[in-house]
Structure formats: C-alpha cells, structure tokens
Amino acid sequence: MSFLIKILFFVSKLPLRILYIFSDVIFFLNYYLVGYRKEVITQNLKNSFPDKSEDEIRKIRKKFYRNFSDYLVETIKSFSISETESRVRMQHINQDVFHEVQKEGKNIILLAGHVFNWEWINALARIVPQKHCHPVYRKVNSDFWENQMKKVRNKFGNEALEANEVILNIFRSKNDGDSIYMFVADQTPHFSHVNYGLEFLNQRTPVFIGYDKLATRMDLAFIYCEMKKVKRGYYQVNYYRIYPDNEKFVEHEVVRKFHKMLENTLHKHPDNYLWSHRKWKYQDSIKNFDSEKK
C-alpha cells in the first residue's frame, strides 16, 4: 500500500493541465469503449427529465462522462493541491452569510449535493470566520481509501467527522456560531434506514434525513451550497441561507427545501451531477412518502 500511496502523491503533484490528459483518456475509454454504468446513467436522466428528447439526453450523458472524468483526476489532485491553487480554482460567493450567522451565535449545517466538484470545497475552512469546519464523510470498506480520503478532508484546518458520529457531536457541542458541519446531503440511505421519501426529479426518492433532527431540535443555521462548473478546473459555489416558513423548522421542512434547491440547480446544469449513483434503487421501500411539493 505504501507504494500505491507514493504513486498517488506523485501523480497528484502533476499540473492539472497534465492530469486533464489522463481525464481525456478516461473519458474516451468510459464513453466509447467501457460504457461505465451507461444504462444506469441513461435511465436516471430519462426519468429525471421526461420532457427532454433522446438527443438531449445523449448530449447530457456525454457531457456527464467528461465532467465525471475531470472529477476523478481532480480528486487525485486533492491529495496535494495547495491552499492558494484551491482558492483560485474554487470561487466562494456570498461569503457574508457566514459572518451574519456567526453574529447570531448559531452553528452552521452546510448542505451540498453530489455536484462536481464537491471535493474541492474544503478550502472554505480558511475563508470563513468560524473556527471549526467539519466535513462529514461515510466510511468505505477499504481501510486504505478510508485513510487517504480522511487526510484529504482534514486539509486546510478541517476536522473531518464520520457520518455515524456527527449528529451526536453536534448535540454535545456548544452552539456558539463557531462551527460548520459540511454534509453532502443527497446521500442515499442504507436499505435498512429507508423510511422517508419525497418527489425529487420526477421520481419517488428515498432521502437521508439525519440533519432534519437537528433542524427541529436545535437553533442552527442551514445553508445550501450551489456548485457551478465555470470551465475546466474552475468552479463557483454560491451560499444561500435556508429559512423556515415560520419561526422554526417543522419536521422534514429543511429536507424538502434542500431537495427543491438542488433540483433547481440540476435543471440549470444537468450534466454536472453524479448520475452514475444508484440513487433510486430503494424507492419501492419508502415507508413514509411525502407528496407535498414545496
């Protein structure tokens, strides 16, 4: 494994203009020869955008493969990317919201989707006034990749937390406006945890609701991260405060609002989402389906 680590770090230190040559090769192999999860991607796109023609679906799918290939090499670049380069390549818009929330004395739950490239958001920790930034991650079966990805998420002063421990950590920590918890919130719940679902992209969708417990029990601030790929290797992320309709969030309100905002993002840039993800495989197991549209 130590040899593999050395190779990864050597490759990660190559300039992105070189890594994108690898990306072009990956794209060619994936799109023209291997057809990585082609049926899953195609069906997800057709179900999500029933009004689009076959030609439009094909164009989105092709752009997805290009973006996905870039995502793979950019993830490798994450092992050694400097803070300076990261801040140049990832532009953070609407930073005032973090200062406003800190003045309110509320910790922040940051909600992002699997929109490329969510892995590059880590340098936010060097920009915001909050002292503690906690990227939330899920354990993987490989100890090697678990350790490597945790190192990536701990860069720039971040303090990564595993998904199973984060909720308890938030409840036990002081709600003083000095902490941010960064969720990739459109995760598909494990089969044994499929309970609540809603309509998302024209489909019955089982959704992760762990952060919803926080919204109804604690006075926290919720912020949506809208990722946008400006051009190859350059991204923008806009931050939008999510407010309750009344004084406090009610059950599942923040979940519905997050998915509505993510859906709007995907309608604007449909090729920049992780369509190879089997997000809807457990849709028939939803016990509590919310048909309310927000």
Side-chain angles (χ1 to χ4, degrees), residues 239-281:
Y239 298 98
Y240 299 102
R241 184 87 175 262
I242 303 175
Y243 291 99
D245 287 338
N246 298 305
E247 186 177 346
K248 295 182 179 180
F249 285 107
V250 297
E251 187 179 25
H252 301 145
E253 182 181 1
V254 70
V255 180
R256 289 195 299 268
K257 290 189 172 185
F258 162 71
H259 280 86
K260 182 62 178 177
M261 295 172 87
L262 178 59
E263 187 174 82
N264 289 338
T265 297
L266 300 184
H267 277 287
K268 288 186 284 187
H269 306 286
D271 54 287
N272 215 35
Y273 189 59
L274 191 62
W275 294 109
S276 55
H277 183 43
R278 300 179 189 272
K279 185 171 181 61
W280 291 279
K281 61 182 177 180

Side-chain angles (χ1 to χ4, degrees), residues 166-167 170-171 183 185 207-215 222 255:
V166 66
I167 302 296
I170 294 172
F171 278 128
F183 286 79
V207 295
F208 170 71
I209 59 172
Y211 57 91
D212 185 71
K213 299 175 183 177
L214 303 169
F222 287 79
V255 180

